[in-house]
Amino acid sequence: MSEKLDLLYQEFQQALCGSASRAETLDLKAGYLGSKGKLSSILKSLKDMSPEERKQVGSKSNEYKNKIEADISAKLQALDSEEISKKLEKQWVDVTLKDSNLDLGLNAAGYHPVTLVQREIEDIFSSMGFDILDGPHIEDDWHNFGALNIPSDHPARDMQDTLWFPDGVHLLRTHTSPVQVRGMESKKPPFKFIVPGKVFRAERTDASHETVFHQVEGMMVDKNITVSNLIYFMKTMLSEIFKQDVKIQLRPGFFPFVEPGFELDMYTEQLGWLELIGCGMTHPNVLRAGGIDPDKYSGFAFGMGLDRLVMMRYAINDVRLIHSADLRFISQFRSF
Ligand code: FA5
């Protein structure tokens, strides 16, 4: 029996040598150590042996069992590292390799025109003491509508075609105005801030309408703020951006969160009058929703179409070019 065990181990070693995969190796293990395995059946037959033989065969079988286990795990390790080296051979990357034709966005195209104008606006407003805030793209009903004096049954909700999440509470913000509410929640008056960012509407696109576009919100709250403060900041910003005295007009405009409310249009030779900014004096209900006493403080707010401003600045005649990711378009702004 002792010789039979030696032979069994030799046979195992040969088979292990020929095993080329993890699966084969594990099969082999089962063939020897599994419940119906070759070594296991010898161990099972111990009960029919004489006490002397049982002792001898028992201890030898255990010795081989341990050896087989050790051999198997060494083999599995060897197979693993072989596989890793094979992968490394196939998938190596030369990190020092330079491809002079690689079209890196920054070198080839410069910054996106929206980024360029956004940065200018941020500079202009920070030089006038405004903070720059950010807010989430996924908003809730309260911040996008409720706190802005637009209750759930208000027809003004239909002015902006909203992309809702299935829970009926969350939505992709339709304007940057919810950050007015977040600003009021986090600051104590007096304060003034702007909020540049992306907004989303389920709109049909045309030359001046996109579904994803950019706005810059602004809000100023202090004692005795009036419409003349609003006009001053709007004119200063536009004159800085266009490097000239700009022609603007204010028309009455309805936004539930301001009273009075205005549409501000701007004129250029190429594009004529273009509706650019919604603005007005912050409605007392909105100040209250933000925890501010409207009897003590007043404020103005504005929401500007950044893409439209970019269009005027660079005489771009179709807003859809802005998100086209077309390098022929984007690379024209490299010099700014
Ligand atoms: C608003 O979104 C208000 N939240 C603005 C506001 C803020 C008013 C604070 C008062 C106080 P409106 O839907 O008009 O308003 O959009 C504001 C600006 O975004 C527009 O003047 C226009 O320049 C731009 N805009 C609107 N829809 C689109 C669109 N589909 N594509 C590109 N620009 C757009």
Side-chain angles (χ1 to χ4, degrees), residues 148 159-160 174-178 180 199 201 203-204 206 208-218 254-255 257-258 261-264 274-281 300-309 311 319:
L148 292 168
M159 288 165 70
Q160 301 173 353
T174 53
H175 49 179
T176 40
S177 302
Q180 285 186 31
V199 301
R201 291 185 196 175
E203 287 205 58
R204 222 170 243 255
D206 61 28
S208 54
H209 291 85
E210 255 293 13
T211 48
V212 179
F213 57 102
H214 302 83
Q215 290 188 338
V216 180
E217 193 79 12
F254 173 70
F255 303 97
F257 30 97
V258 286
F262 311 102
E263 300 276 6
L264 187 152
L274 199 67
E275 179 193 313
L276 199 62
I277 304 177
C279 54
M281 303 308 293
F300 69 72
F302 63 88
M304 174 165 61
L306 181 54
D307 311 68
R308 295 213 182 148
L309 190 68
M311 288 168 77
V319 69

Side-chain angles (χ1 to χ4, degrees), residues 84-95:
I84 290 171
S85 352
K86 264 193 207 152
K87 266 195 192 156
L88 282 176
E89 240 167 68
K90 264 200 248 156
Q91 302 175 351
W92 66 277
V93 174
D94 181 355
V95 290

Side-chain angles (χ1 to χ4, degrees), residues 63-295:
E63 207 177 291
Y64 278 135
K65 184 173 171 245
N66 293 338
K67 273 188 175 178
I68 289 176
E69 269 170 355
D71 291 349
I72 293 274
S73 57
K75 178 77 181 185
L76 288 175
Q77 257 183 18
L79 284 170
D80 282 351
S81 49
E82 205 176 305
E83 195 178 329
I84 290 171
S85 352
K86 264 193 207 152
K87 266 195 192 156
L88 282 176
E89 240 167 68
K90 264 200 248 156
Q91 302 175 351
W92 66 277
V93 174
D94 181 355
V95 290
T96 63
L97 194 67
K98 279 200 182 120
D99 181 351
S100 52
N101 292 322
L102 208 59
D103 217 354
L104 285 177
L106 270 185
N107 296 332
Y111 286 106
H112 193 283
V114 169
T115 306
L116 293 171
V117 176
Q118 182 181 322
R119 288 186 181 175
E120 260 183 56
I121 292 172
E122 287 174 3
D123 283 348
I124 293 165
F125 276 101
S126 17
S127 76
M128 297 191 289
F130 282 70
D131 291 332
I132 296 161
L133 303 191
D134 201 3
H137 290 171
I138 298 176
E139 267 296 1
D140 52 48
D141 193 311
W142 169 249
H143 286 91
N144 199 81
F145 292 124
L148 292 168
N149 202 27
I150 319 176
S152 55
D153 54 351
H154 198 290
R157 289 206 174 195
D158 300 336
M159 288 165 70
Q160 301 173 353
D161 290 316
T162 308
L163 293 157
W164 288 93
F165 283 82
D167 67 2
V169 177
H170 290 92
L171 48 88
L172 287 175
R173 68 179 183 191
T174 53
H175 49 179
T176 40
S177 302
V179 193
Q180 285 186 31
V181 184
R182 295 189 180 275
M184 288 188 287
E185 283 166 354
S186 65
K187 289 174 178 294
K188 285 219 173 331
F191 57 73
K192 44 188 190 294
F193 58 78
I194 60 160
V195 187
K198 275 192 168 56
V199 301
F200 310 84
R201 291 185 196 175
E203 287 205 58
R204 222 170 243 255
T205 61
D206 61 28
S208 54
H209 291 85
E210 255 293 13
T211 48
V212 179
F213 57 102
H214 302 83
Q215 290 188 338
V216 180
E217 193 79 12
M219 187 179 210
M220 176 172 188
V221 174
D222 201 341
K223 287 182 176 144
N224 307 317
I225 297 291
T226 66
V227 177
S228 49
N229 297 108
L230 168 65
I231 295 174
Y232 168 78
F233 282 110
M234 295 298 94
K235 270 208 101 165
T236 308
M237 171 199 55
L238 294 172
S239 308
E240 285 277 333
I241 288 179
F242 291 93
K243 317 274 185 261
Q244 56 180 290
D245 246 1
V246 294
K247 214 164 156 187
I248 60 168
Q249 68 180 15
L250 281 181
R251 291 177 286 121
F254 173 70
F255 303 97
F257 30 97
V258 286
E259 179 57 38
F262 311 102
E263 300 276 6
L264 187 152
D265 305 330
M266 197 185 127
Y267 182 81
T268 60
E269 285 294 330
Q270 292 100 334
L271 299 164
W273 287 103
L274 199 67
E275 179 193 313
L276 199 62
I277 304 177
C279 54
M281 303 308 293
T282 302
H283 195 288
N285 287 351
V286 175
L287 290 173
R288 255 180 238 117
I292 293 169
D293 182 353
D295 294 329

